[in-house]
Amino acid sequence: MARSRGRGRTREAVFAALRELLLENPWAEVTLEAVAKKAGVSRQTLYNDFGSRRGLAEAYTFAMAEAYCDAVDDLLAAEPEPLAALEAAMQLFLTGAAEDPLIRRVQSGEAHHDLVRIVTADSGPLLDRIAERLAAGLAGRWPTVDAATVEAAATLMARLALGLVTMPPPAGDELAKRMALLVAPAFGA
């Protein structure tokens, strides 16, 4: 148990270091050695945990998705109004995506093709995980909605979110509301 907590703290430090480096440098200039140094771990630790720069980018992407899903779960539980809960969840993603340096690199066209593939051609596992987590959160919030509807709504939300990673959303505050309006009828909102 203590070992897994230590590994979790190491991963958090590595992801924080990667984020900091991406704020300062393009992906092409971010090396595992630089990430290891900034995170206070050995380069061998990164190779052992992630295998490669692409492996690190994939793990970082999955960690971001998990954090997003955790925050969505919290929003869904806290907001009594279904439409407002869905809109807040969509807005959370849009705001988070706009602030993340890895996503900004992909959106601006500055990302290495390996990064772009993680959220395009190779996005199946990421999409499945996001949809699975969203479905669990939606089912917990609306237990009377049938499983097929929950799954379809979660898949739609995951695909919308992932689609917005590769191309920046249009400017304006209405997008989250419009996206929520697409999904809300499934939940009686």
Side-chain angles (χ1 to χ4, degrees):
M1 183 75 149
R3 182 179 166 133
S4 78
R5 276 194 306 262
R7 185 168 185 242
R9 283 192 296 273
T10 298
R11 289 175 78 84
E12 287 174 16
V14 167
F15 296 151
L18 176 60
R19 181 178 169 75
E20 283 182 48
L21 288 167
L22 285 169
L23 288 170
E24 302 164 2
N25 307 288
W27 174 249
E29 296 175 15
V30 176
T31 64
L32 287 180
E33 185 174 349
V35 174
K37 183 177 181 181
K38 191 168 251 336
V41 300
S42 71
R43 193 171 66 182
Q44 188 60 48
T45 296
L46 294 184
Y47 281 110
N48 291 344
D49 286 355
F50 306 107
S52 64
R53 279 178 18 142
R54 180 183 165 107
L56 173 59
E58 286 175 349
Y60 177 78
T61 303
F62 269 83
M64 284 182 359
E66 290 291 335
Y68 163 69
C69 290
D70 289 344
V72 167
D73 287 346
D74 293 344
L75 282 171
L76 292 176
E79 177 56 59
E81 166 57 39
L83 182 59
L86 292 167
E87 183 178 346
M90 301 292 187
Q91 188 60 51
L92 173 77
F93 175 77
L94 293 173
T95 302
E99 295 171 355
D100 187 83
L102 194 60
I103 292 174
R104 285 199 314 246
R105 296 257 188 246
V106 170
Q107 291 174 342
S108 71
E110 298 174 25
H112 187 273
H113 66 276
D114 282 348
L115 294 180
V116 176
R117 286 187 64 87
I118 292 169
V119 293
T120 57
D122 297 339
S123 67
L126 179 63
L127 181 62
D128 290 346
R129 181 61 184 149
I130 293 169
E132 177 185 302
R133 285 288 315 273
L134 290 174
L138 293 168
R141 173 68 167 81
W142 291 285
T144 59
V145 176
D146 69 280
T149 299
V150 168
E151 185 178 325
T155 299
L156 175 64
M157 290 171 68
R159 286 185 177 273
L160 285 170
L162 209 52
L164 291 170
V165 166
T166 57
M167 180 166 276
D173 295 332
E174 292 296 311
L175 182 59
K177 183 177 200 117
R178 290 192 308 264
M179 289 169 59
L181 287 170
L182 289 174
V183 178
F187 299 99

